[in-house]
């Protein structure tokens, strides 16, 4: 968030010094903070109020997530995770930390100095774009119990843009993110599984890199065209080796499970808790559909369009499972990696129920 007075930012010196590892992460978060857009104007008392409101809403949200899902033990465990209310540079720094924690699993140990610098600029640029759009996220990789990240300027911007009650919108947002906190508390093995899939994708691509480099370069040049034409996927996915595509499919199916479940829960509280929940959902979805061409291109390049598809497909899967076995039966998906939905089961929740609950 920003006031008219602090729109003039101080100069931030971006370090261009050799660093160990594959990426200059200090450069990434500093550069990202430098190029990120300021948040909506807000007075200091308004900043303090939204910070307090979001923390209180997040604590309330856990109660309702527990009530809807019946996962009381997982909700109690999730309550130990810290709640951080951030501005946009804070979001960038937190996500740089997440990427840095995953780097040993998905990046080469060493890289030439220019490559480390270039990667730092690239990561900073992507996170700067995301920092203006993400309302919140749960970081499952922070030890010991993860951490909840809420981006105050974006929450403020959207509740103004949608013209919805602030208290309702803040609780609605935190319901989604606290559902993620409960999911990971129910499945403490899940962060390791996710990082393993990312590592599998990275390793398979790296092993296959030399033979496919000319084709990768050709397809990379087609990305701007695919964004302009609203192609459903990035052309780069076409040349991923089979092992990487399989890991990506598993990862996508699991993210659809997580996002769809969070969306169903956040809407499941009903008007007795969030009085304007139907208005918020209607306006929020309409805003998502009506975004301009440039914004859609940025969203797709940053992976947000894929995330939107995960909300929709995952929510349909969750509703199908709940209709058959309820939240108690759904909890089996978080009991072990082999119980996660297969990519082919997202369109057929009955197939998942049959495989997990009614094996022959």
């Amino acid at each position: 968030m920003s006031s008219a007075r602090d729109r003039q930012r101080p100069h931030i010196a971006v370090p261009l010094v050799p660093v160990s590892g594959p990426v200059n992460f200090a450069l990434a978060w500093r550069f990202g903070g430098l190029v990120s857009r300021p948040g909506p104007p807000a007075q200091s008392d308004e900043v303090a109020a939204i910070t307090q409101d979001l923390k209180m809403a997040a604590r309330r949200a856990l109660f309702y997530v527990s009530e809807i899902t019946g996962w009381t033990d997982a909700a109690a465990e999730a309550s130990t995770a810290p709640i951080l209310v951030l501005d946009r540079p804070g979001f960038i720094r937190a996500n740089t930390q997440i990427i840095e924690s995953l780097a040993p699993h998905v990046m080469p140990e060493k890289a030439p100095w220019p490559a480390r610098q270039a990667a730092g600029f690239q990561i900073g640029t992507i996170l700067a774009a995301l920092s203006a759009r993400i309302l919140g996220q749960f970081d499952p990789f922070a030890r010991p119990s993860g951490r909840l990240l809420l981006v105050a300027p974006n929450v403020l911007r959207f509740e103004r843009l949608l013209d919805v009650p602030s208290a309702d919108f803040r609780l609605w947002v935190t319901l989604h993110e606290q559902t993620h906190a409960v999911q990971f508390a129910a499945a403490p093995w899940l962060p390791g599984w996710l990082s393993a899939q990312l590592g599998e994708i990275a390793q398979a691509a790296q092993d296959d890199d030399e033979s496919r480099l000319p084709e990768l370069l050709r397809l990379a040049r087609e990305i701007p065209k695919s964004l302009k034409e609203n192609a459903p996927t990035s052309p780069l996915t076409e040349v991923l080796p089979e092992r990487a595509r399989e890991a990506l499919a598993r990862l996508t199916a699991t993210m659809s499970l997580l996002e769809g479940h969070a969306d169903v829960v956040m809407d499941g509280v009903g008007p007795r808790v969030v009085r304007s929940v139907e208005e918020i959902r209607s306006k929020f979805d309409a805003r998502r559909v009506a975004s301009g061409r440039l914004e859609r291109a940025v969203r797709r390049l940053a992976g947000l369009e894929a995330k939107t598809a995960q909300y929709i497909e995952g929510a349909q899967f969750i509703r199908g499972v709940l209709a058959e076995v309820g939240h108690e039966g759904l909890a089996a998906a978080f009991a072990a990696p082999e119980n996660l939905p297969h990519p082919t089961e997202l369109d057929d929740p009955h197939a998942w129920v049959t495989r997990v609950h009614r094996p022959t």
Side-chain angles (χ1 to χ4, degrees), residues 3-87:
S3 63
R5 184 173 57 186
D6 60 17
R7 292 281 178 98
Q8 296 297 321
R9 297 187 176 187
H11 173 70
I12 300 176
V14 177
L16 293 174
V17 296
V19 294
S20 60
V23 176
N24 185 336
F25 288 105
L27 185 152
W29 70 259
R30 287 178 178 269
F31 180 72
L34 179 66
V35 301
S36 63
R37 291 186 296 174
Q43 300 299 319
S44 58
D45 57 343
E46 192 171 14
V47 173
I50 191 173
T51 299
Q52 182 179 4
D53 286 355
L54 284 172
K55 288 184 176 181
M56 292 179 62
R59 295 187 185 100
R60 287 182 61 205
L62 265 182
F63 169 79
Y64 295 117
V65 173
S66 175
E67 184 180 54
I68 292 170
T69 62
W71 301 358
T72 53
D73 290 344
E77 179 67 24
S79 68
T80 65
I83 301 169
L84 304 181
V85 180
L86 307 173
D87 58 9

Side-chain angles (χ1 to χ4, degrees), residues 277-350:
V277 62
E278 294 180 3
E279 177 190 3
I280 291 173
R281 170 57 71 186
S282 175
K283 289 184 175 180
F284 192 81
D285 288 347
R287 168 66 186 174
R288 181 184 290 163
V289 171
S291 58
R293 174 176 292 182
L294 178 60
E295 182 173 346
R296 287 197 302 271
V298 171
R299 286 176 59 85
R300 294 188 63 248
L301 187 60
L304 292 179
E305 288 298 301
K307 195 175 181 71
T308 298
Q310 289 166 6
Y311 293 149
I312 297 171
E313 187 174 33
Q316 292 172 344
F317 172 80
I318 294 296
R319 292 188 182 100
V321 170
L322 293 180
E324 290 200 50
V325 293
H327 273 285
E328 184 177 357
L330 176 65
F334 298 85
E338 58 267 25
N339 287 358
L340 290 170
H342 296 164
T344 56
E345 291 172 337
L346 288 177
D347 292 330
D348 188 2
H350 179 72

